[in-house]
Amino acid sequence: MKKKNYQMPTKLKYLLLTSFLMLNLFIANAQDSTRVAEKPDMTEVTLGSETAGVMDQAPEMADLMRSNGKIYVVVAVVLTILIGIFLYLIRLDKKISRLEKEK
Amino acid sequence: MRRNWWKILCIILLLYTCWAGFLGGVPAKPILNETIRNLYFHVSMWFSMMIFFTISLVNAIRYLANPQVQRFDILSTEYAKTGIIFGVLGLITGAIWANYTWGKPWSNDPKQLGAAIALLIYFAYLVLRNSIEDPEKKARVSAVYNIFAFALLFPTLWIVPRLMESLHPGGMGNPAMNPNDIDSRMRIIFWPAAVPGWTLLGVWITSLKIRWKTLEEKKLSNAH
């Protein structure tokens, strides 16, 4: 029994780790495209004389998560829910497998 | 891992469906607008439901042919239950979609009524099953009823909706979809990813329930 109690947390840790890695992937992707999108904006700042006009433009051009009517936000939410359900299913699957092995 | 490849496939297909389903190109249609993307989710529910009900029917017949094999009864019941869940989700998502395209969630459309009747018949399957105490009688009666319930899917989902005027797309040969409404950009997500993805998810959930039920039955038989 002790051995089994020890196995549980390691699997949990592994699952939590993978989920965090996946979330990080999302954020990293979004930031990468932000940087790419920001660069042309910065040149516009130096070229344009009025900063106010650039300020109006900058937020819209800046990041992926706000473009296309913010559809990417919905995609991120749906994918997060899906990944959550998958992780839950994988855990259930492993728990039942362990029960089957006990018999 | 070798036995679990289809679970990985399910995860990949559904992630692709939800990614490409929102970001991929779709034909611009009046009234529908972006809601045409519901095809990947709402319509997939019905396809999956029919697949689960078919698996349930096959196992009901297998049980009646071999009443000593209890596993067929478990398979039949659990697939019927998953089918019911997917059907209810299909009906609810259909009502949400209808609210914004047809004007109201429920317009007593022949397709809505047919789907609701079909689901009520399957609800009765669960009621009937739970009302019989004797396990063998329960399995036999519910297997016979399962065949009856599946037979009623023909008029309620496949025949009557084709014959009657409906707000729902399709008709005249196809009960649910008008093939001209979607283009190749949508087909490449719907057929290879959305339908098999959601179906595999349901199969995965059902397989877990079957394994749990089998364990429970083993425990019961060991206790006696």
Side-chain angles (χ1 to χ4, degrees):
Chain A
M1 275 311 279
K2 263 184 189 173
K3 216 178 177 183
K4 263 154 212 162
N5 280 339
Y6 175 72
Q7 272 182 338
M8 254 284 278
T10 49
K11 277 185 181 170
L12 252 177
K13 270 182 209 162
Y14 167 72
L15 278 175
L16 280 174
L17 204 89
T18 45
S19 60
F20 274 116
L21 278 175
M22 281 172 151
L23 283 175
N24 282 341
L25 267 173
F26 270 117
I27 297 157
N29 268 335
Q31 280 175 346
D32 271 356
S33 39
T34 308
R35 260 179 248 128
V36 173
E38 258 173 7
K39 270 175 193 164
D41 278 358
M42 292 309 283
T43 54
E44 274 174 42
V45 174
T46 48
L47 289 172
S49 51
E50 281 178 60
T51 38
V54 179
M55 284 292 277
D56 287 341
Q57 256 188 356
E60 278 177 50
M61 304 290 286
D63 62 335
L64 181 73
M65 294 297 258
R66 288 176 203 284
S67 65
N68 282 11
K70 294 175 188 164
I71 187 73
Y72 286 93
V73 179
V74 184
V75 176
V77 167
V78 171
L79 289 181
T80 308
I81 291 172
L82 258 187
I83 291 167
I85 291 171
F86 288 144
L87 289 175
Y88 184 66
L89 272 179
I90 292 166
R91 271 199 64 198
L92 259 176
D93 206 313
K94 282 183 176 168
K95 276 184 178 177
I96 293 175
S97 298
R98 206 178 303 137
L99 269 176
E100 283 170 340
K101 271 174 199 163
E102 259 178 40
K103 289 272 163 174
Chain B
M1 251 320 121
R2 221 177 296 155
R3 243 195 242 165
N4 289 334
W5 61 271
W6 58 275
K7 291 170 188 169
I8 296 160
L9 182 72
C10 165
I11 292 172
I12 294 166
L13 288 178
L14 281 185
L15 290 178
Y16 171 69
T17 304
C18 288
W19 179 260
F22 282 112
L23 302 177
V26 291
K29 300 261 170 183
I31 302 167
L32 271 180
N33 305 354
E34 293 282 356
T35 69
I36 197 167
R37 295 177 195 276
N38 274 343
L39 175 91
Y40 307 130
F41 309 103
H42 164 75
V43 184
S44 306
M45 291 294 122
W46 294 108
F47 273 89
S48 312
M49 182 200 79
M50 283 172 196
I51 293 167
F52 300 145
F53 282 165
T54 310
I55 300 173
S56 179
L57 169 83
V58 168
N59 282 292
I61 294 169
R62 277 163 94 194
Y63 177 79
L64 288 175
N66 312 282
Q68 72 280 5
V69 188
Q70 203 189 5
R71 193 178 155 72
F72 293 148
D73 177 51
I74 296 175
L75 277 163
S76 170
T77 318
E78 295 308 327
Y79 272 106
K81 283 180 186 168
T82 313
I84 290 168
I85 288 173
F86 274 64
V88 169
L89 289 175
L91 208 62
I92 294 169
T93 52
I96 296 169
W97 196 358
N99 195 23
Y100 299 100
T101 46
W102 302 350
K104 47 188 176 178
W106 198 267
S107 28
N108 283 335
D109 188 79
K111 279 171 196 178
Q112 284 183 321
L113 287 173
I117 292 166
L119 279 174
L120 283 173
I121 290 165
Y122 270 93
F123 285 153
Y125 169 77
L126 297 181
V127 173
L128 178 75
R129 218 187 136 73
N130 288 322
S131 65
I132 302 170
E133 284 281 326
D134 179 49
E136 264 177 48
K137 206 177 186 184
K138 174 194 262 190
R140 196 161 3 101
V141 172
S142 59
V144 172
Y145 184 85
N146 196 320
I147 297 167
F148 165 76
F150 190 86
L152 282 183
L153 286 181
F154 286 88
T156 54
L157 291 185
W158 296 323
I159 298 172
V160 173
R162 278 178 215 239
L163 301 177
M164 292 172 80
E165 282 281 317
S166 170
L167 292 160
H168 197 286
M172 303 300 141
N174 190 314
M177 297 198 304
N178 182 349
N180 298 325
D181 281 344
I182 62 172
D183 63 8
S184 58
R185 289 173 298 175
M186 293 191 77
R187 256 177 231 122
I188 209 157
I189 300 170
F190 183 69
W191 290 112
V195 172
W198 290 110
T199 306
L200 283 176
L201 183 74
V203 171
W204 190 357
I205 294 168
T206 318
S207 77
L208 289 180
K209 278 206 78 187
I210 291 164
R211 285 160 69 188
W212 169 59
K213 273 272 166 203
T214 313
L215 279 173
E216 209 178 49
E217 295 290 338
K218 254 187 200 168
K219 211 177 171 186
L220 271 175
S221 59
N222 284 349
H224 281 299

